[in-house]
């Protein structure tokens, strides 16, 4: 089985500005989804939002910062 380098999720998402994206390995999909949900609530006052797209062919999860 291939080793996949994990990327720190929270610090990476906090640095995103609207219009930017971050790509994570598919193995982190559940964690990425949970943290995006948490950020939507915790950062609601500043209007933080993002879209998540999973690509099972490329084995990635991409987070697009929308606000």
């Amino acid at each position: 089985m291939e080793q996949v380098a994990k990327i720190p999720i929270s610090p990476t998402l906090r640095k995103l500005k609207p219009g930017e994206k971050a790509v994570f390995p598919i193995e982190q999909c559940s964690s990425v989804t949970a943290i995006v949900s948490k950020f939507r609530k915790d950062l609601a006052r500043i209007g933080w939002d993002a879209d998540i797209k999973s690509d099972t062919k490329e084995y990635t999860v991409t987070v697009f910062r929308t606000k």
Side-chain angles (χ1 to χ4, degrees):
M1 179 180 259
E2 182 181 335
Q3 289 288 353
V4 176
K6 293 193 176 183
I7 301 169
I9 301 168
S10 291
T12 303
L13 294 181
R14 284 187 193 280
K15 291 178 187 175
L16 287 182
K17 292 178 175 57
E20 294 181 336
K21 68 179 180 178
V23 181
F24 299 91
I26 195 88
E27 290 82 359
Q28 290 182 284
C29 184
S30 297
S31 298
V32 169
T33 302
I35 292 172
V36 166
S37 178
K38 179 183 183 313
F39 278 13
R40 283 182 178 139
K41 290 177 183 74
D42 292 351
L43 303 175
R45 289 191 187 273
I46 64 167
W48 194 97
D49 199 9
D51 292 330
I52 304 169
K53 181 177 185 264
S54 297
D55 186 342
T56 55
K57 292 180 182 169
E58 294 294 323
Y59 306 109
T60 60
V61 177
T62 306
V63 178
F64 299 94
R65 172 86 190 269
T66 57
K67 293 183 184 179

